[in-house]
Amino acid sequence: MSKQYLTTHTVDNAHVTDIFSIAATPRAILSAGGSSTLRIHDTNDPTFPISQSISGAHELGCHHICASRDGLVAASAGFDGVVKVWTVTKETGEWNQHAEIKLPGKAGEIWAIALSENGRYLAGTTYDGRINVWDVGDSSTPKIQEYETGSAGASSFGMCVDLSPDGKLTASGHQNGAVYVFNNDTGRMLYSLSGLAKPVRTVAFSPGSTRLAAAGDASVIALYDMKHGEHVGNLTGHASWITSLDWSNTGEYLLSGAMDGKAKVWSIDRAACVATHSETEKALWSVKWLPKTNRSEMFCTAGANRSLTLYREATGI
Amino acid sequence: MSSTDIVEVGEARATEGNRLVVIAVIEDILSKVVDDISHDRQPSIPYRCRPRGARPGRPSTSVTSRTAVRFPGNSQDESLAFCSPRPRGSLLGEDCVVDRDATHQTKSQAVVDRVVDDLAYTLGFGRMDLNIVAAGKGLISGPIMIQLRRESGVLSASSGSNGVLVPLPSDVEKLDLGAARWLLVIEKEAVYRRLSAVQYWRNSAAGPGILVTGKGFPDLVTRGFLHLVQSVRPQLPIYCLTDFDPDGVGIMRCYKHGSRSLDHETHVVVPRLRWLGFKSSDLSHHLTALDESRRPSVTSPMSVRNRTRAAKLLATMDEESHDWEELECQRELQVMMFLGVKAEIQGVDGIGDVGDWLDAKLGQA
C-alpha cells in the first residue's frame, strides 16, 4: 500500500534567498535562511500567513533553527557563530529573544543545534567536532556538558545533532561519516556508530528514543537501535545527498529531504519508501512534519527555491 | 584585420598628469623636511596607514594608526619609511622601479609592499602613479596584439603555447583585440596552461576569446591591464573562473572590486566582471548523477580555516546590496558553509574536459 500526500499550499518566496532550516511548533512554522530575518508562519490558518518577522536576527544569515516539542522555546544559529534562544508568549504567539550564546576563540563556532523536549537544554556542534550542551532555562546559559570526539586537531566537523525526547541521549553526525551517541546523565560517549562512510548531514531520534536515523552524502538512511547501538537497517532509494530527516509523531514514518529536491516518506515497519514528492529540482535543505493536531498528517519542505511547501496526507482512498 | 579593432590607448596622458602632481606633492614635502632640518626642528613626513580589511561603514580600528613619520623614529619601521628615497627617484627617471629592486635594500618583500602601499595611500594615488609597480606574474593568450611604448615592440599573445606575460598598462600604446568575443580570467595557472596549450581561445564553440590567469590572487599589473581592456572595449564580456571555495570567491571579488586595503588603487578594478563558476549549481549537477561510479569525486571537505575565511568574507559584504552578483556571492558562501565542501576547477576534468564545460557556460552567459 502506498501513501499519498497532496501539495496543500506553497508559500512562494518566503525568504529572499535559500531557506536553510525550518522548525515546527503546534501553531507555527519558523524558518531561517541566508538573509538576517527569521520568519514565522501561522499553521492554524489554511493560508499559512506570516505572523511575525524578526529582522536582523542574524547579521550574516542563519543556517539552523529548531524548536522544542512543546513549541515554547526556539533556538537559531547564525553564520557568524552566534546562537540565539527565543521564547514565545502563549497569548500572542510572539517570539522574543531570551538568551544568546557565542563560544570564544577560533574553531569553536557553533554549527548545528537541537533543543530538548521542553526547551530546557540546547545541544550544539562545533567546527572542531565537539558537542556542547547548555542549560538555556537559565538566562546565563551555563554549559553543562562538553563532549570531545577525538584528540585536538583530529576531530571532524560536527554537521548535525539531536537530543532524544527523553533527554537522556545526544547524537551527533560528522563530516568524516562518524555518528556518536552520548549519555547525558553520565557525560560519556555511549556509542560510536559506523555504517556511513561519508559526511553525515542529519541525525534524528525516534519519538520513543529507541531508534536513531542518520543520513548524508551516502544517500542512504541508516537506522540504529539505541538499546545496544546496533545498526538495524538501511533505507535506500535517494539518488542524491540527504540533507534532512524527521520522524512522524507516532514514529511510524520517517521523512527525508535531498539535494535533488526530492522528499520521501518511509514506512519504518516495512523499511520501504511509501511516497516521493518533488515540487522543485533545487536542493531541499530542511524537511519537517507538523505536530499532529486535529488535522490529517502534514509535512513541510524548504530549500534553495526559497519557498515553504506544505503537503497533506490524502484521505478517503 | 579590421582597423576598427585597433584601439589607441590614451592612458599615458592621464598618467603623465598624475605623475607631475605626485612629483609636486613629494617635492613640497621634501622642501618642508629641509626647512625643518635647517631650523633645528624635528622633520616629519605625513603618513597614513591603510584600512586593514574593516567592514564598509564601520570605523577601522587600526592597531598602530600613524599620521606622520618622524626621524629618528620610534621604531625601525618608522625610520625605514622616512629614509625611503625610491618614489621620487622613480618618478623623475624614465625607468620603472620594480618592487624586486627595492627588495634588495630591505630584504623583505612584505615590508616593501607595506611601505609603498602606505605611501601611495598617503598621497592619494595608485602605485602605478608613483611609477612603482610590483613584478607582474599574470599570463595572457589569445588573438591579441599589444604595441608597447618603451620598447617599440609588439607583443603577440597568440605566440607560444602559454601566451605572454601581461604587460604594464602604462606601457601599452595600442591594443589590437582582434576578433575576440570574450575574455576569461582563470584563477588556477594549471587550468590556464591546459586551455592555452590546446588553444581554447581559438577553438572555443563560443567563438574566439582571450585567456588570462593571475595565478591566484592577482597582482596590480594584471588587474590594471584588465581594467584597461574593459575601459577601451566596454562591450567585451569579461568572465572569471575560480574554484568553489572561499579563496575563489575572494579572488573573483578582488578582480571585480579591488581589495579593501588597496582601495586607493582605482584603476585596477573590473566592475563588469562576471563570475562564471565554479558554483554550487555546478556541484549539484554532479551530485545528482544517478550512477555512483560515474560521479567523480570533485569535492573535498572544508577545513576550519576555510569556514573561518568564508564567514569573514560574508562579514565584508553588504547584506542590503541590490547588486545581483553581490547577493549571489553571499548565497554561494552560505551554501558552501552549509554543505561543508569545496571543489576545484580541475575536478571538472573527471567528466571529460573543462573545455566542454566552458563551451556550455560561455554559450549560456
Side-chain angles (χ1 to χ4, degrees):
Chain A
M1 163 194 163
S2 170
K3 261 187 176 290
Q4 196 173 2
Y5 293 85
L6 307 174
T7 306
T8 183
H9 193 76
T10 299
V11 182
D12 282 318
N13 295 313
H15 283 256
V16 296
T17 181
D18 290 53
I19 300 171
F20 291 117
S21 189
I22 55 178
T25 73
R27 63 196 286 191
I29 291 169
L30 289 69
S31 56
S35 77
S36 63
T37 303
L38 302 180
R39 291 230 143 81
I40 293 97
H41 286 80
D42 185 354
T43 54
N44 288 330
D45 187 314
T47 62
F48 302 93
I50 294 180
S51 54
Q52 189 180 354
S53 279
I54 305 176
S55 300
H58 290 280
E59 197 169 69
L60 303 188
C62 178
H63 50 78
H64 281 92
I65 191 164
C66 61
S68 58
R69 191 165 290 264
D70 63 12
L72 299 179
V73 185
S76 54
F79 285 100
D80 56 359
V82 176
V83 170
K84 295 190 176 181
V85 183
W86 311 86
T87 53
V88 69
T89 305
K90 284 187 189 178
E91 296 74 25
T92 62
E94 186 186 2
W95 292 86
N96 288 285
Q97 188 176 328
H98 162 70
E100 183 175 298
I101 302 171
K102 184 177 171 69
L103 294 181
K106 291 184 177 179
E109 283 88 344
I110 304 164
W111 185 249
I113 50 176
L115 279 167
S116 61
E117 189 153 34
N118 62 359
R120 175 69 186 273
Y121 302 109
L122 174 76
T125 65
T126 65
Y127 282 12
D128 58 3
R130 286 175 286 135
I131 299 90
N132 300 299
V133 182
W134 294 272
D135 179 350
V136 295
D138 186 325
S139 58
S140 66
T141 65
K143 186 192 292 185
I144 58 177
Q145 294 287 8
E146 181 173 290
Y147 300 115
E148 300 277 352
T149 57
S151 55
S155 300
S156 177
F157 170 49
M159 303 195 92
C160 54
V161 69
D162 198 21
L163 280 165
S164 62
D166 60 12
K168 294 183 177 179
L169 305 174
T170 300
S172 65
H174 295 256
Q175 190 151 47
N176 61 359
V179 177
Y180 300 109
V181 180
F182 305 92
N183 184 315
N184 295 327
D185 294 332
T186 64
R188 298 191 178 180
M189 184 184 290
L190 190 61
Y191 306 123
S192 174
L193 306 171
S194 57
L196 296 169
K198 294 178 177 178
V200 176
R201 298 186 179 277
T202 178
V203 287
F205 281 104
S206 64
S209 307
T210 57
R211 288 278 199 277
L212 179 74
D217 297 7
S219 304
V220 169
I221 302 167
L223 291 174
Y224 302 95
D225 162 65
M226 284 299 98
K227 191 172 180 185
H228 302 293
E230 291 168 350
H231 186 175
V232 295
N234 274 348
L235 303 174
T236 59
H238 268 296
S240 185
W241 292 0
I242 297 168
T243 53
S244 186
L245 291 173
D246 195 35
W247 291 79
S248 67
N249 186 62
T250 60
E252 288 178 282
Y253 298 100
L254 188 63
L255 173 66
S256 60
M259 262 189 77
D260 56 0
K262 287 186 167 52
K264 286 179 178 285
V265 180
W266 308 80
S267 163
I268 298 300
D269 282 349
R270 296 171 45 210
C273 174
V274 295
T276 300
H277 290 277
S278 53
E279 289 292 308
T280 174
E281 288 181 358
K282 294 187 175 181
L284 292 181
W285 298 131
S286 189
V287 296
K288 279 287 187 295
W289 294 101
L290 302 196
K292 193 146 182 151
T293 49
N294 53 1
R295 63 197 157 200
S296 56
E297 201 147 50
M298 292 185 72
F299 65 85
C300 179
T301 68
N305 73 344
R306 300 175 267 150
S307 302
L308 297 169
T309 305
L310 290 120
Y311 299 83
R312 180 192 303 275
E313 180 185 11
T315 53
I317 300 179
Chain B
M1 192 78 65
S2 167
S3 62
T4 58
D5 290 334
I6 303 173
V7 180
E8 190 93 28
V9 178
E11 197 81 6
R13 222 168 299 115
T15 303
E16 183 67 17
N18 280 352
R19 195 167 85 142
L20 294 177
V21 174
V22 173
I23 290 171
V25 170
I26 292 179
E27 289 190 344
D28 282 349
I29 292 170
L30 291 179
S31 174
K32 186 176 181 301
V33 167
V34 170
D35 196 51
D36 286 342
I37 291 174
S38 65
H39 287 85
D40 282 333
R41 290 191 294 262
Q42 184 186 30
S44 70
I45 295 176
Y47 191 89
R48 291 187 294 154
C49 291
R50 294 160 293 135
R52 307 295 184 191
R55 183 173 177 150
R58 282 184 178 174
S60 303
T61 52
S62 183
V63 178
T64 55
S65 181
R66 291 185 290 203
T67 55
V69 178
R70 287 164 298 276
F71 189 87
N74 296 321
S75 67
Q76 184 183 12
D77 278 350
E78 189 172 2
S79 299
L80 183 70
F82 185 90
C83 295
S84 174
R86 301 307 297 189
R88 182 166 182 278
S90 64
L91 282 158
L92 293 176
E94 280 300 312
D95 291 329
C96 186
V97 172
V98 176
D99 255 16
R100 304 229 176 272
D101 294 342
T103 302
H104 294 311
Q105 298 183 25
T106 64
K107 306 291 183 183
S108 169
Q109 183 67 47
V111 171
V112 172
D113 287 343
R114 190 172 71 246
V115 170
V116 171
D117 288 333
D118 283 348
L119 278 172
Y121 181 73
T122 297
L123 298 173
F125 289 95
R127 268 192 183 215
M128 282 186 260
D129 296 316
L130 300 182
N131 221 19
I132 298 175
V133 186
K137 61 186 198 290
L139 295 169
I140 181 169
S141 62
I144 181 173
M145 306 264 288
I146 306 164
Q147 183 166 324
L148 302 173
R149 268 179 231 289
R150 297 175 199 263
E151 299 164 24
S152 300
V154 176
L155 276 180
S156 172
S158 59
S159 62
S161 63
N162 291 316
V164 297
L165 269 179
V166 171
L168 285 172
S170 56
D171 272 357
V172 176
E173 183 167 29
K174 287 185 181 177
L175 262 184
D176 179 353
L177 296 178
R181 294 192 211 164
W182 48 266
L183 187 151
L184 177 68
V185 185
I186 302 162
E187 171 190 342
K188 288 284 180 55
E189 180 182 356
V191 176
Y192 166 89
R193 285 182 182 276
R194 190 177 309 130
L195 290 171
S196 187
V198 301
Q199 294 194 341
Y200 180 80
W201 51 265
R202 190 202 305 272
N203 304 319
S204 171
I210 298 165
L211 301 172
V212 174
T213 182
K215 299 182 186 176
F217 276 91
D219 52 72
L220 287 172
V221 173
T222 306
R223 290 165 54 196
F225 181 81
L226 291 174
H227 175 83
L228 176 64
V229 169
Q230 187 185 240
S231 56
V232 303
R233 184 74 79 81
Q235 304 312 315
L236 183 75
I238 299 181
Y239 304 108
C240 189
L241 177 65
T242 66
D243 289 349
F244 181 68
D245 68 8
D247 281 341
V249 176
I251 287 163
M252 183 275 294
R253 290 176 62 77
C254 186
Y255 278 108
K256 185 164 178 157
H257 304 297
S259 61
R260 175 74 186 159
S261 65
L262 293 174
D263 258 347
H264 56 289
E265 299 280 356
T266 55
H267 296 294
V268 291
V269 291
V270 187
R272 275 197 291 278
L273 179 91
R274 289 173 60 188
W275 186 24
L276 207 64
F278 215 53
K279 295 175 189 172
S280 58
S281 53
D282 302 309
L283 195 67
S284 298
H285 180 71
H286 291 297
L287 297 179
T288 53
L290 283 176
D291 188 357
E292 170 100 20
S293 64
R294 287 195 295 102
R295 192 190 300 176
S297 194
V298 303
T299 64
S300 56
M302 280 180 96
S303 65
V304 171
R305 177 195 166 272
N306 290 149
R307 304 189 67 85
T308 304
R309 174 136 175 78
K312 282 181 179 172
L313 262 174
L314 261 183
T316 65
M317 292 179 188
D318 179 9
E319 198 220 7
E320 302 303 324
S321 175
H322 298 289
D323 176 0
W324 163 250
E325 268 209 352
E326 183 79 355
L327 293 176
E328 191 182 25
C329 261
Q330 292 174 35
R331 194 247 166 190
E332 290 296 312
L333 282 170
Q334 287 166 340
V335 170
M336 209 181 281
M337 291 180 77
F338 193 79
L339 289 176
V341 300
K342 55 186 182 181
E344 290 188 333
I345 307 166
Q346 296 96 306
V348 185
D349 279 1
I351 54 167
D353 191 340
V354 70
D356 292 333
W357 181 85
L358 273 176
D359 282 345
K361 281 286 172 175
L362 289 169
Q364 290 168 24

